[in-house]
Amino acid sequence: MKSYAPPDTLRAARALLRLSQGELAKEIGFSRQSVSAAENNPSSPMPTIAKMREFYEKKGLQFLGTVDIDTGRIDGAGVRWRPPPSPPTDDVVAGQFHTESEGAAFEAARSLLGRSRALVAQEAKVPFKELGALEAGEHSSTETVTRLRDYFANSGIEFLGWGDLGTRTYFGVGVRWRSEQSRM
């Protein structure tokens, strides 16, 4: 049974789909307040969380993490677009999977971290407008991208995905908390 997802991963999933809380609520038939509660409270009602997770998985997202059965703690929790099992050899196979033109999902990383755009821009020392543009899928300066990658890495977040730099086609794009296993 896989119905639970931590609040931070639910926020990141919504960011990957570029939906507002109101848009998601309309899609799943719950109130915006229920969506907000599920994204901010680990003890939210299971039917709301299960419906959100089901919706995200039908859209092609995959929730990640390893559960410690003794403690219930989820290590390496995150979410990404479901990637193909191996690099696609033709366009037909590639077309069955969601792709992104950027290899880093900055809005999803910020959502996983639970910080506002203004705070991330301030702490990462990047222009607020550039962060907004990056989150909307636009290109930005190498310096801004590097600062943001370093900021999120120092905050314990890993970017996921792989692809072709030449065609700017990336599969499995997403974010997760750095695993405790990898910190040892």
Side-chain angles (χ1 to χ4, degrees):
M1 181 173 138
K2 56 176 191 171
S3 58
Y4 182 73
D8 50 3
T9 63
L10 294 173
R11 287 191 307 266
R14 185 170 53 78
L16 285 173
L17 285 174
R18 292 185 169 98
L19 292 174
S20 69
Q21 286 182 340
E23 290 167 332
L24 174 62
K26 189 174 183 179
E27 289 281 345
I28 64 172
F30 281 83
S31 69
R32 191 203 59 76
Q33 291 82 359
S34 293
V35 169
S36 178
E39 290 183 348
N40 292 292
N41 183 354
S43 59
S44 287
M46 192 57 72
T48 306
I49 294 169
K51 186 74 170 180
M52 290 171 71
R53 182 169 174 167
E54 176 186 20
F55 172 79
Y56 292 138
E57 288 176 340
K58 283 182 180 176
K59 292 291 185 182
L61 296 180
Q62 177 183 35
F63 287 85
L64 308 167
T66 305
V67 179
D68 181 316
I69 294 175
D70 289 336
T71 65
R73 186 180 182 289
I74 302 173
D75 187 45
V79 63
R80 68 176 176 187
W81 286 102
R82 187 171 303 282
S86 61
T89 55
D90 60 54
D91 290 341
V92 173
V93 173
Q96 297 172 3
F97 296 90
H98 178 86
T99 61
E100 292 278 335
S101 62
E102 293 293 328
F106 290 111
E107 185 177 6
R110 182 175 60 76
S111 297
L112 189 68
L113 197 54
R115 295 197 178 144
S116 70
R117 185 180 295 158
L119 182 59
V120 169
Q122 178 186 1
E123 290 179 346
K125 297 179 175 58
V126 299
F128 180 82
K129 278 186 155 182
E130 264 191 81
L131 176 55
L134 268 172
E135 289 184 353
E138 298 173 22
H139 302 296
S140 187
S141 71
T142 303
E143 180 184 350
T144 296
V145 170
T146 300
R147 282 187 180 183
L148 285 169
R149 282 184 171 276
D150 290 347
Y151 171 80
F152 288 116
N154 291 334
S155 298
I157 292 179
E158 295 178 335
F159 289 101
L160 307 171
W162 50 270
D164 182 343
L165 292 172
T167 62
R168 299 187 65 84
T169 303
Y170 297 92
F171 296 94
V173 172
V175 293
R176 73 174 173 198
W177 289 105
R178 185 172 45 246
S179 170
E180 289 294 325
Q181 301 286 337
S182 66
R183 293 184 215 180
M184 296 179 177

